[in-house]
Amino acid sequence: MPETSSSQSLHQLYLDNHGWLQQWLRRKTGCREQAADLAQDTFMRLLGQRKLEELKQPKAYLSRIARSLMIDQFRRRQLEQAYLQSLAALPEPVEISAQERSSILETLLQIDRMLDGLQPRTRTIFLLAQLDGLSHVAIARQLNVSANTVSKHFVRAMAHCLLLIGD
């Protein structure tokens, strides 16, 4: 199969500039293998382009493509590094035994039974304070009631729980 004009131009461009481009990239990256990969990627980008024979400044054109590829590679590595750091910052999964799990579930069921005897608003206020850690003022704002009302309901809930624990 005869080579087309475009593939001949690419071949000639490669022969004339590959060595220079690879050296230029090696100075920029400090790594021979990375420079070789980037030089290859630069010429791969040219495969689909037409009118290569009309290129007036091939070194400037090639270096612009290679620089763009270096930037893409740098961004990709930064993203990978950030991802790995975020994975490393995750807490280790906690494994609990079947006995601990059963004990936790039993405790939660007991708490649920204790709270079951409360009025809905009292239960909500108690849970917002104990589970969400909200202050009485924050709960009052959220439920659109006074802080004094929140305090009264919270005291009722605590007294209810303490009476049940005492029994």
Side-chain angles (χ1 to χ4, degrees):
M1 174 182 272
E3 288 187 320
T4 65
S5 174
S6 181
S7 64
Q8 288 174 347
S9 297
L10 180 60
H11 182 73
Q12 192 59 49
L13 186 67
Y14 184 87
L15 291 175
D16 294 345
N17 295 287
H18 182 263
W20 165 84
L21 181 62
Q22 195 165 344
Q23 286 295 60
W24 182 82
L25 286 164
R26 186 173 182 188
R27 284 192 306 274
K28 295 286 186 189
T29 63
C31 176
R32 182 176 11 146
E33 291 82 13
Q34 188 178 3
D37 289 344
L38 285 168
Q40 190 67 27
D41 291 345
T42 300
F43 284 99
M44 291 299 291
R45 283 260 173 113
L46 295 175
L47 276 177
Q49 296 186 12
R50 298 182 185 146
K51 301 181 183 178
L52 290 176
E53 57 276 351
E54 296 174 14
L55 221 61
K56 301 281 189 250
Q57 297 177 336
K59 287 185 179 182
Y61 188 66
L62 291 170
S63 63
R64 189 176 77 214
I65 293 172
R67 189 176 295 113
S68 174
L69 290 170
M70 281 190 299
I71 291 169
D72 289 347
Q73 188 179 61
F74 177 74
R75 286 181 182 150
R76 189 171 36 256
R77 284 193 179 146
Q78 276 189 317
L79 183 62
E80 288 171 4
Q81 188 62 35
Y83 175 72
L84 291 174
Q85 287 174 347
S86 68
L87 284 179
L90 290 175
E92 290 293 320
V94 178
E95 298 217 12
I96 57 174
S97 68
Q99 183 180 4
E100 288 174 307
R101 181 177 290 118
S102 176
S103 177
I104 291 169
L105 288 174
E106 182 58 36
T107 302
L108 288 172
L109 287 172
Q110 287 175 352
I111 292 170
D112 184 55
R113 283 191 294 269
M114 287 172 43
L115 298 178
D116 196 36
L118 295 174
Q119 295 175 354
R121 180 179 279 179
T122 304
R123 182 177 35 247
T124 299
I125 289 171
F126 182 77
L127 291 173
L128 287 172
Q130 297 296 15
L131 296 181
D132 294 345
L134 296 179
S135 68
H136 289 193
V137 173
I139 295 169
R141 271 191 239 122
Q142 184 173 334
L143 298 179
N144 201 22
V145 296
S146 70
N148 190 29
T149 301
V150 170
S151 294
K152 286 179 184 177
H153 281 281
F154 185 77
V155 168
R156 272 189 217 136
M158 287 298 289
H160 178 78
C161 292
L162 290 173
L163 286 172
L164 289 176
I165 290 172
D167 289 342

